[in-house]
Amino acid sequence: RDRDVTGVQTCALPIWGSARRAWLETRTGPAHGSSARFAGPPYRTRFCHHCRVDLTQPYGPLVDTSARFVTWNVWGRFGPWQHRQDGIRSALAMCVPDVVALQEAWSGDGGDQAAELGDALGLPHHRWHGSREFDGVPSGVAVLSRWPIEVRGATELAGPPDHAGVTFEVAIDGPRGVIRLFDTMLDYPPQHSSVRQAQVGQLVDIVRARRHR
């Protein structure tokens, strides 16, 4: 037996298996359970025979917690970027996000896109990482959050010259514990599909290596 986070004692045996056995025994009797293996619904009784837990509510009331995430490549300062900034702000406000992951976010020339959007959206915490420059303005990845952000590091994803990707790892101090996020930007040309696939493979290895940290 064990206790879940709500403090309700539950059975350590698999609920599905217990429920199926309970139904089979009510239908055919213990000696003939195998003959009705695929017949009918999974159970007729509401309670586990081992611990009398109500199978329709095995874990008690759920804690109502949610977090809304948005990710968006905002295209740096290409094209009419000043006009686009107003549209980005309006679209994000409609989403009412708790965390926003941006790609190609600019920071420099007297402004910071993540900071400006965070102020408008009521997301007081933001972190930015970037090394590329377009028209003299650095561009990179950024994370905005309702909760404090700890930067864990950034890793370059291999690619041809000037086509490397990046993943930016942060830990967000959420209301139910740490939320780990990898804000990732891959290579972009349509003909570089093989490069993007390799970068995704590298990203999987990075996430796997960090899973116990």
Side-chain angles (χ1 to χ4, degrees):
R1 295 178 185 273
D2 197 2
R3 289 183 181 271
D4 67 339
V5 294
T6 64
V8 178
Q9 186 162 302
T10 59
C11 181
L13 293 175
I15 290 296
W16 170 258
S18 301
R20 167 175 275 187
R21 285 194 299 273
W23 179 81
L24 290 174
E25 290 178 9
T26 60
R27 182 177 177 86
T28 65
H32 305 287
S34 60
S35 64
R37 184 176 179 183
F38 298 106
Y43 57 83
R44 287 182 174 178
T45 177
R46 287 184 57 179
F47 295 96
C48 171
H49 284 183
H50 300 280
C51 61
R52 303 301 294 171
V53 168
D54 186 341
L55 297 175
T56 64
Q57 295 290 333
Y59 301 111
L62 298 178
V63 178
D64 186 10
T65 303
S66 64
R68 179 168 293 186
F69 294 76
V70 175
T71 180
W72 196 349
N73 187 315
V74 290
W75 207 36
R77 284 196 173 187
F78 295 104
W81 63 270
Q82 298 98 327
H83 180 68
R84 190 165 63 247
Q85 181 77 348
D86 294 335
I88 292 169
R89 185 186 305 110
S90 299
L92 288 175
M94 292 175 62
C95 295
V96 195
D98 297 301
V99 178
V100 178
L102 301 177
Q103 300 83 44
E104 294 195 43
W106 51 264
S107 179
D109 193 24
D112 184 285
Q113 188 173 29
E116 293 180 12
L117 291 173
D119 290 342
L121 298 170
L123 303 178
H125 307 278
H126 69 275
R127 295 291 185 271
W128 180 90
H129 171 82
S131 57
R132 296 184 183 180
E133 286 195 4
F134 297 97
D135 294 331
V137 178
S139 175
V141 289
V143 177
L144 296 69
S145 173
R146 194 171 304 283
W147 309 293
I149 303 171
E150 175 191 347
V151 175
R152 295 286 180 87
T155 304
E156 184 175 284
L157 304 177
D162 297 325
H163 288 275
V166 65
T167 184
F168 184 43
E169 180 186 359
V170 301
I172 300 171
D173 188 13
R176 295 288 304 280
V178 174
I179 302 169
R180 299 178 59 191
L181 185 146
F182 293 80
D183 188 1
T184 303
M185 185 164 57
L186 305 177
D187 192 16
Y188 63 90
Q191 68 272 21
H192 284 192
S193 176
S194 61
V195 175
R196 286 189 292 275
Q197 292 178 55
Q199 290 174 343
V200 169
Q202 186 180 350
L203 174 62
V204 170
D205 291 338
I206 292 169
V207 174
R208 182 183 293 118
R210 306 282 203 278
R211 69 187 185 277
H212 296 309
R213 285 178 51 184

